Amino acid sequence: MNIITINENGFLDKIKGKKPLFTCVISSIETTTYIPISGVHRDVIKYTPAADVELVFCGKSLTLKTPPIDSTGSPTPAIITRSCVELKNIKNLHIDAGAFIKPKIPFIEIDYKPTGKIEEGKAMNNSKELFKKGYLLGKNLEADILIVGECVPGGTTTALGVLLGLGYEAEGKVSSGSVNNPHELKIEVVKKGLKKANINKNSSVFDVLNAVGDKMMPVVAGLSISFAERNKPVILAGGTQMSAVLAVIKEINKEILKNNLIAIGTTEFVLNDKKGDLKGIVEQIWDVPILASKFYFEDSEIEGLRNYCKGSVKEGVGAGGIAVYSIVNGLNSYIFKTHIENKYKQLFKLAQYL
Amino acid sequence: MNIITINENGFLDKIKGKKPLFTCVISSIETTTYIPISGVHRDVIKYTPAADVELVFCGKSLTLKTPPIDSTGSPTPAIITRSCVELKNIKNLHIDAGAFIKPKIPFIEIDYKPTGKIEEGKAMNNSKELFKKGYLLGKNLEADILIVGECVPGGTTTALGVLLGLGYEAEGKVSSGSVNNPHELKIEVVKKGLKKANINKNSSVFDVLNAVGDKMMPVVAGLSISFAERNKPVILAGGTQMSAVLAVIKEINKEILKNNLIAIGTTEFVLNDKKGDLKGIVEQIWDVPILASKFYFEDSEIEGLRNYCKGSVKEGVGAGGIAVYSIVNGLNSYIFKTHIENKYKQLFKLAQYL
């Protein structure tokens, strides 16, 4: 099987043959401009969310000449996401929750202003409003199932912050887009933020989000609840960042999790990450299905993709979750890998060097 | 029958029982800030597009304390549109093509910058790109049928400009949101613009749009063609402004009009307007269905609605077209009128004075 499952519980059958909408919620975080919590290459960090969703939506990045790469030269997972969009003809529409640079494609604006300073405990002041907006937006989106990804450079730090703020054991457990996961730095940043915002046992989920979350989280929570309420399956497409969203959903509407309509869809790279522990986080929250797509990049002709197996990038832009959907709906692994490789070559115009 | 039809040609059957998406494309025009071509109240003209789509999307205007009114005190047709959304549970999502003030709801951003100076022949420089964006967006929207409205204060002037630029006889034929239709002023403005931009028989449709159009037009053309190509019916929900869009569609893809999938849906107030001639314009372009909804406002208890019958407002925010859809799909006229009246009272908190 090309999908690794934990607590699958019949979820994969629910997404078979269904018409999905894929959406990627993007945000930037001010803290990332002066503290190196993100694995995204510093030169492109402001442009990455826009360039990623442009690539998914129209097949190329418009904001950057080539698609984003990480600091080791590995390509953005948006290449995987776009391959699924092309191969399975998936409708997609993306949401800005405060990217520094706005995409040059039609996109849904939900908050113009970026996520703020995590170490100050001032991530945002409108998480409840963002939740409501996400919820109302979700009610107006037509699809059988929702696949919702994220692109938030620095977002594993905010995930850590929200998980700690809500009382989960998450230290050393969030993944990273980089090979070297700077756990200590992330912990330092969010502990400062939680302290400055006086987060304690009586704080609400929105207090925690306002202090150390990112704007993607309440939006995805709102979207997910609105779909699940209509009895439509939701794939939270991401790694440990989506576990934080799951925790947020549980705080807002615990009942909704009982219907087994919300799953986490990620990559094998996150699930097998020795420097993170997605499973260990999720089992503290709720036994939702964890579904991880396999890519067989070990023997890829592209070094940047082989590096995924060594811990580069791992996940992002909903790549793992949309791949789970695509594989369940008949996408052949060989065709998939070849398509991703060809897309890489085409986009980086490297074919002549290979 | 509560719908007046011209060239109906089986269109109403095609929209029966179908799941629609309603979208309103908004734009502002710089010219309206210093030349009185629009019937919208001058104090609110910058805020009107945002306030209108907010009302449709979430039931109240967030940008203004009360919904927009025209210069005679008549309420925005967005009240009609919202009533349809509520009564028929219609999914809706709106598109900004350059409103001065951005809506405080999630909305699709397609162009941040307003439409420019019509009298200078500098309406925009990106109409072709906007068409492509609208087209690609349309391909990512899921619905059985598209109902697409507009809110562009000053938009009958740009409609006149585009129709003249494309060689149609349109002088004295475009409607107005005001009782007194300032035909001479509109003609003066667009003739200046057409001359300054050197529009002639060899100009392309995009040259004409760039000179004297508004940004709503290429976006709606793109959306419409993308739906019609997938064999899905489209209601161009508006009056003479939508006839200009029809002319744009014909220039870009004449073939698509042969499938009888694109209709104009408007109000009886536009169709019967003695100071405009929607029918006279449309029959020069293509014999598409013209469908006009009836409202029975003559004996309304609300003066602002009775004024619609005397020429105030007439149409806008897709009111006529979404009403056509709603009526075809079983909306009772009495319930409809009562709902609109109650919405008016609720929104203007005037119940106590009536």
Side-chain angles (χ1 to χ4, degrees):
Chain A
M1 183 57 169
N2 299 313
I3 300 170
I4 309 162
T5 66
I6 298 170
N7 296 319
E8 190 270 336
N9 216 351
F11 188 88
L12 293 180
D13 264 349
K14 292 183 190 164
I15 62 171
K16 233 174 241 173
K18 296 289 174 63
K19 255 193 243 175
L21 173 70
F22 174 72
T23 184
C24 181
V25 182
I26 65 176
S27 191
S28 297
I29 301 176
E30 283 185 44
T31 303
T32 59
T33 59
Y34 50 84
I35 304 181
I37 48 175
S38 167
V40 176
H41 201 293
R42 193 164 268 248
D43 291 348
V44 299
I45 198 163
K46 284 196 172 187
Y47 302 91
T48 296
D52 273 341
V53 295
E54 287 162 0
L55 174 53
V56 175
F57 188 75
C58 70
K60 60 185 172 189
S61 293
L62 308 170
T63 288
L64 293 172
K65 276 187 192 159
T66 51
I69 49 168
D70 80 342
S71 44
T72 69
S74 276
T76 170
I79 289 186
I80 299 173
T81 312
R82 174 66 190 181
S83 295
C84 294
V85 162
E86 290 178 0
L87 290 165
K88 300 304 290 181
N89 196 18
I90 294 170
K91 286 198 167 57
N92 64 105
L93 203 52
H94 309 291
I95 300 173
D96 175 47
F100 283 128
I101 305 289
K102 304 305 177 191
K104 292 180 178 168
I105 50 168
F107 64 93
I108 298 173
E109 184 64 273
I110 205 158
D111 194 340
Y112 192 83
K113 217 176 133 222
T115 302
K117 299 181 176 176
I118 308 310
E119 76 286 3
E120 301 266 326
K122 289 182 177 169
M124 69 198 93
N125 57 19
N126 61 342
S127 63
K128 192 167 190 175
E129 188 192 333
L130 286 174
F131 168 75
K132 286 183 187 169
K133 283 185 171 184
Y135 179 80
L136 194 50
L137 172 61
K139 288 184 90 139
N140 283 286
L141 295 174
E142 179 67 37
D144 294 336
I145 71 168
L146 177 71
I147 308 168
V148 54
E150 56 66 38
C151 181
V152 185
T156 55
T157 301
T158 44
L160 173 67
V162 167
L163 289 165
L164 291 182
L166 294 174
Y168 295 100
E169 282 179 28
E171 287 188 30
K173 290 184 195 288
V174 294
S175 287
S176 168
S178 58
V179 179
N180 297 309
N181 191 340
H183 281 304
E184 299 308 317
L185 181 62
K186 292 178 184 180
I187 292 169
E188 190 193 325
V189 165
V190 302
K191 286 208 163 165
K192 252 192 208 167
L194 288 165
K195 197 172 170 194
K196 284 221 173 177
N198 289 316
I199 296 302
N200 57 51
K201 282 188 176 174
N202 298 318
S203 301
S204 77
V205 62
F206 297 112
D207 294 334
V208 174
L209 286 166
N210 283 346
V212 296
D214 62 60
K215 291 183 173 181
M216 173 276 291
M217 296 170 172
V219 173
V220 175
L223 290 169
S224 302
I225 292 175
S226 80
F227 267 74
E229 272 185 3
R230 284 179 279 154
N231 211 26
K232 296 181 179 212
V234 175
I235 299 176
L236 297 172
T240 47
Q241 291 179 248
M242 285 302 172
S243 74
V245 174
L246 181 68
V248 170
I249 291 171
K250 184 183 170 187
E251 293 298 316
I252 296 171
N253 186 342
K254 197 173 169 176
E255 288 301 309
I256 209 78
L257 292 176
K258 296 182 180 166
N259 301 336
N260 196 36
L261 284 164
I262 296 178
I264 289 182
T266 190
T267 63
E268 57 179 326
F269 313 116
V270 168
L271 196 64
N272 299 331
D273 182 14
K274 299 271 180 276
K275 294 180 179 160
D277 185 9
L278 175 63
K279 186 167 168 285
I281 298 170
V282 171
E283 64 193 13
Q284 293 177 62
I285 305 166
W286 198 273
D287 281 338
V288 299
I290 303 175
L291 315 162
S293 41
K294 291 171 77 173
F295 296 92
Y296 306 98
F297 284 165
E298 295 81 1
D299 60 353
S300 172
E301 54 178 315
I302 314 277
E303 190 188 355
L305 296 179
R306 287 199 305 274
N307 285 344
Y308 270 59
C309 307
K310 298 176 193 161
S312 288
V313 188
K314 295 186 195 75
E315 166 65 290
V317 200
I322 196 170
V324 165
Y325 169 84
S326 302
I327 294 165
V328 168
N329 284 282
L331 181 55
N332 171 286
S333 287
Y334 176 76
I335 290 172
F336 189 19
K337 191 174 91 175
T338 308
H339 196 92
I340 294 167
E341 290 175 339
N342 288 340
K343 188 123 293 271
Y344 176 90
K345 290 182 211 167
Q346 170 211 333
L347 288 169
F348 288 93
K349 294 202 178 90
L350 280 176
Q352 64 270 34
Y353 302 116
L354 291 165
Chain B
M1 183 55 171
N2 297 314
I3 299 171
I4 310 162
T5 65
I6 298 170
N7 296 319
E8 191 269 337
N9 216 351
F11 188 87
L12 293 180
D13 264 349
K14 292 183 191 166
I15 62 172
K16 233 175 242 174
K18 296 290 173 64
K19 258 194 242 175
L21 172 70
F22 174 72
T23 184
C24 181
V25 182
I26 65 176
S27 190
S28 296
I29 302 175
E30 284 185 43
T31 304
T32 60
T33 60
Y34 50 84
I35 303 181
I37 48 174
S38 166
V40 176
H41 201 292
R42 190 164 271 247
D43 291 349
V44 298
I45 198 163
K46 283 195 175 186
Y47 302 91
T48 296
D52 273 340
V53 294
E54 287 162 1
L55 174 53
V56 174
F57 188 75
C58 70
K60 60 185 172 189
S61 294
L62 307 170
T63 288
L64 293 172
K65 276 185 193 163
T66 52
I69 49 167
D70 80 342
S71 43
T72 70
S74 276
T76 171
I79 290 187
I80 298 172
T81 311
R82 174 67 190 179
S83 295
C84 293
V85 162
E86 291 179 359
L87 291 165
K88 300 305 290 181
N89 196 18
I90 294 171
K91 287 199 166 54
N92 63 107
L93 202 53
H94 308 291
I95 302 173
D96 175 47
F100 282 128
I101 306 289
K102 304 305 177 191
K104 292 179 178 169
I105 51 169
F107 64 92
I108 298 174
E109 184 64 274
I110 205 159
D111 193 340
Y112 193 83
K113 215 176 134 227
T115 302
K117 298 182 176 174
I118 309 309
E119 76 286 2
E120 301 265 327
K122 290 180 176 169
M124 68 196 93
N125 58 19
N126 61 343
S127 62
K128 193 167 189 174
E129 189 192 333
L130 287 173
F131 167 74
K132 286 182 187 168
K133 283 186 170 182
Y135 179 80
L136 194 50
L137 172 62
K139 287 185 93 142
N140 284 287
L141 295 174
E142 180 65 40
D144 295 336
I145 70 168
L146 178 72
I147 308 169
V148 52
E150 56 67 38
C151 181
V152 185
T156 55
T157 301
T158 43
L160 173 67
V162 167
L163 289 165
L164 292 181
L166 294 175
Y168 296 99
E169 282 179 27
E171 287 187 30
K173 290 183 195 290
V174 293
S175 287
S176 168
S178 58
V179 179
N180 298 308
N181 191 339
H183 282 303
E184 299 308 318
L185 181 61
K186 293 178 183 179
I187 292 170
E188 191 192 324
V189 165
V190 301
K191 286 207 163 167
K192 252 191 208 168
L194 288 165
K195 198 174 167 190
K196 283 219 175 176
N198 288 317
I199 297 302
N200 56 52
K201 283 189 177 173
N202 298 320
S203 301
S204 77
V205 62
F206 297 111
D207 293 335
V208 173
L209 285 166
N210 283 346
V212 296
D214 62 61
K215 290 182 173 181
M216 172 277 291
M217 295 170 173
V219 173
V220 175
L223 290 168
S224 303
I225 291 174
S226 80
F227 268 74
E229 272 186 2
R230 284 179 281 154
N231 212 25
K232 297 183 178 213
V234 175
I235 299 177
L236 297 172
T240 46
Q241 292 179 249
M242 285 302 173
S243 73
V245 174
L246 181 68
V248 169
I249 292 171
K250 184 183 169 186
E251 294 297 318
I252 296 172
N253 187 343
K254 196 173 170 177
E255 287 303 307
I256 209 78
L257 292 176
K258 295 183 180 166
N259 302 336
N260 197 36
L261 284 164
I262 297 178
I264 289 182
T266 190
T267 63
E268 58 179 327
F269 313 117
V270 168
L271 195 64
N272 299 328
D273 181 14
K274 298 273 182 274
K275 291 178 181 163
D277 185 8
L278 175 62
K279 186 167 167 286
I281 298 171
V282 172
E283 64 192 14
Q284 293 176 60
I285 305 168
W286 198 273
D287 281 339
V288 298
I290 303 175
L291 315 161
S293 41
K294 289 171 80 173
F295 296 91
Y296 306 99
F297 283 166
E298 296 80 1
D299 60 352
S300 171
E301 53 178 315
I302 314 277
E303 190 188 354
L305 296 179
R306 287 200 304 277
N307 285 345
Y308 271 59
C309 308
K310 296 176 192 161
S312 289
V313 189
K314 295 185 196 73
E315 165 66 288
V317 201
I322 197 171
V324 165
Y325 169 84
S326 303
I327 294 165
V328 168
N329 285 282
L331 180 55
N332 170 287
S333 288
Y334 176 75
I335 291 172
F336 190 19
K337 190 174 93 173
T338 308
H339 196 91
I340 295 167
E341 289 173 341
N342 289 341
K343 188 123 290 274
Y344 176 90
K345 289 181 211 168
Q346 170 212 331
L347 288 168
F348 288 93
K349 295 199 177 93
L350 280 177
Q352 65 269 36
Y353 302 117
L354 291 164

